[in-house]
Amino acid sequence: MKALVYEGPRRVAVKDVPDARIERPTDVLVRITTTNICGSDLHMYEGRTDMEQGRVLGHENLGEVVEVGAGVDQVQVGDMVVMPFNVACGFCENCEQGLTAFCLLSNPNPSMGGAAFGFADMGPYQGGQAELLRVPYGDFNCLKLPENARDVRKQRDYVMLADIFPTGWHATELACVQPGDNVVIYGGGPVGQMAALSCKIKSTAQTMVVDRHPDRLALAEQVGAIPINDAECDPVEKVMELTDGKGADRGCECIGYQAHDPQGREDPSLALNRLVSSVRFAGTIGVVGVYVPQDPGGPNDMAKQGKVGFDFGMFWFKGQTMGTGQCNVKNYNRRLLDLISAGKAKPSYIVSHELPLAEAPNAYEHFDKRDQGWTKVILHPDGAGANPSV
């Protein structure tokens, strides 16, 4: 099969690799029709992780079931399905509590909780930027889609259920966002956009999105958010101005450890500390941007050890609460699917490009550079629906 494989920092290539296949009775084999490039893929692409060469990338995946293992009961050949980026068993202690991002059985490394498709340190599973994908624990991990999911235009929305829509929603859940809240979101990339969309669905009073890329800020305005360009103003001061000096009720961190200031200097503590300053006394913060235990490419010795200079004194003094961690996609994807199906949510508004798999290396390069207009890229391994810009 054709698949996008990692060959080293900023080097990916579409190659022929052995076909994905059923390996265990509980497996499902999916022919991938739509798969996304995620901002998290860039951590591997940039060489900031220990991703092994030859690994297939891609954890936002949707397609048609073409084969099922003997132990699969619910999923059938011909079903259109979308998979969480989490690979989870469904029956360990954490999965039983809904903590599928921290499954205790899917990762063979006993020191790690949780697994994912095509992701460094998250188990041995190949990704879905390929023609075929093996899905372990298929009955649990495959979310069946409505019949209209065969329409590639609808797949633009449904594929967002694999990661970024649930992750954006998760940010607002960790931050305890309620109707009428004032919310500030740091990061206007795809996850930040989905957090803003989630705030719209939850009827917040104000949603403020901090970024410096004009195309991202314009997208945030489409869902009613107030854009704040941190290259043009102090975002903390702007948040205070918009909240009568009190600060936002809730804050969402959607950037992660590779945050940069407007001058291009990397500072993994930047967004976290700005959130502490932007959120009111006794407010809540949700952090879904990726942070890692070790980062050999970090800008300083602390960052290389996965540590940040966090303003804990002010965080404690203000009595704030913070929730963190990867999204437990299974907690949200079925309800968010219903919102899409009912026409209440259309997360595909962020899609800028739909391309065939062969153009993935070029797409990674543009997306990594944050080139103007490259906000979210969909790949179609079967070539259907490919359109350089949508």
Side-chain angles (χ1 to χ4, degrees):
M1 67 179 184
K2 298 289 185 185
L4 185 79
V5 299
Y6 176 74
E7 294 191 321
R10 291 188 166 87
R11 290 189 295 113
V12 294
V14 177
K15 291 188 170 182
D16 289 315
V17 303
D19 285 354
R21 59 183 179 83
I22 298 290
E23 298 179 17
R24 301 178 64 182
T26 51
D27 288 349
V28 165
L29 188 65
V30 176
R31 177 179 63 84
I32 298 297
T33 58
T34 297
T35 179
N36 295 339
I37 300 176
C38 179
S40 297
D41 290 326
L42 298 181
H43 302 309
M44 281 83 73
Y45 179 74
E46 295 171 0
R48 296 291 288 267
T49 66
D50 58 356
M51 187 74 163
E52 63 270 26
Q53 294 186 21
R55 184 89 172 272
V56 179
L57 292 165
H59 58 269
E60 299 186 15
N61 306 307
L62 178 153
E64 181 180 7
V65 175
V66 293
E67 187 179 350
V68 299
V72 174
D73 293 322
Q74 302 300 316
V75 178
Q76 299 178 353
V77 171
D79 286 343
M80 295 297 296
V81 294
V82 63
M83 282 63 65
F85 76 87
N86 321 115
V87 177
C89 70
F91 49 79
C92 71
E93 181 180 358
N94 281 352
C95 285
E96 285 179 348
Q97 297 180 53
L99 303 172
T100 54
F102 308 95
C103 175
L104 299 173
L105 297 178
S106 56
N107 195 325
N109 183 345
S111 67
M112 294 292 292
F117 294 106
F119 210 91
D121 296 323
M122 298 296 288
Y125 307 102
Q126 299 286 16
Q129 289 169 8
E131 293 177 319
L132 295 168
L133 177 69
R134 171 193 168 229
V135 182
Y137 308 106
D139 274 337
F140 185 71
N141 288 311
C142 291
L143 177 65
K144 292 185 185 181
L145 297 171
E147 188 62 25
N148 66 1
R150 299 188 189 283
D151 184 340
V152 71
R153 294 169 297 180
K154 291 299 295 183
Q155 291 179 25
R156 296 173 189 166
D157 290 308
Y158 291 139
V159 72
M160 303 305 170
L161 294 167
D163 181 355
I164 61 166
F165 193 11
T167 295
W169 189 273
H170 187 53
T172 66
E173 290 289 291
L174 290 174
C176 305
V177 171
Q178 299 294 318
D181 280 342
N182 291 307
V183 182
V184 60
I185 298 166
Y186 278 86
V191 170
Q193 297 290 337
M194 293 299 98
L197 175 60
S198 300
C199 286
K200 179 181 180 180
I201 294 168
K202 293 184 176 186
S203 299
T204 57
Q206 289 187 112
T207 300
M208 298 157 277
V209 174
V210 180
D211 204 289
R212 66 191 66 114
H213 296 277
D215 50 348
R216 293 178 172 184
L217 293 171
L219 283 175
E221 285 189 284
Q222 289 188 24
V223 290
I226 300 169
I228 299 176
N229 189 329
D230 73 342
E232 298 177 352
C233 68
D234 183 319
V236 175
E237 291 181 0
K238 188 65 176 176
V239 171
M240 290 299 171
E241 175 188 327
L242 291 167
T243 58
D244 297 324
K246 294 184 292 186
D249 301 297
R250 320 292 174 196
C252 297
E253 201 284 344
C254 300
I255 302 174
Y257 72 104
Q258 289 184 256
H260 289 73
D261 66 19
Q263 291 71 45
R265 294 185 294 261
E266 186 172 320
D267 180 357
S269 67
L270 181 66
L272 291 172
N273 289 334
R274 280 179 166 177
L275 274 165
V276 171
S277 298
S278 300
V279 172
R280 66 170 172 81
F281 281 75
T284 47
I285 298 169
V287 181
V288 295
V290 173
Y291 290 82
V292 292
Q294 293 182 344
D295 175 24
N300 53 52
D301 289 341
M302 281 185 61
K304 287 178 171 60
Q305 300 174 60
K307 300 176 181 178
V308 299
F310 180 56
D311 193 356
F312 187 79
M314 185 56 71
F315 175 74
W316 183 93
F317 186 71
K318 294 179 79 171
Q320 294 171 343
T321 303
M322 180 183 291
T324 70
Q326 290 191 355
C327 174
N328 307 297
V329 174
K330 288 281 293 185
N331 274 0
Y332 312 119
N333 63 356
R334 193 175 299 276
R335 285 183 291 161
L336 299 182
L337 167 62
D338 290 342
L339 286 174
I340 293 173
S341 297
K344 302 293 186 181
K346 192 172 179 59
S348 62
Y349 79 93
I350 65 171
V351 176
S352 60
H353 294 75
E354 292 190 77
L355 302 169
L357 184 65
E359 296 186 35
N362 183 54
Y364 264 84
E365 182 177 353
H366 284 290
F367 192 46
D368 182 53
K369 291 178 179 177
R370 277 68 169 178
D371 285 342
Q372 177 75 13
W374 287 78
T375 53
K376 186 65 174 178
V377 180
I378 289 177
L379 301 173
H380 294 288
D382 59 359
N387 184 350
S389 60
V390 295

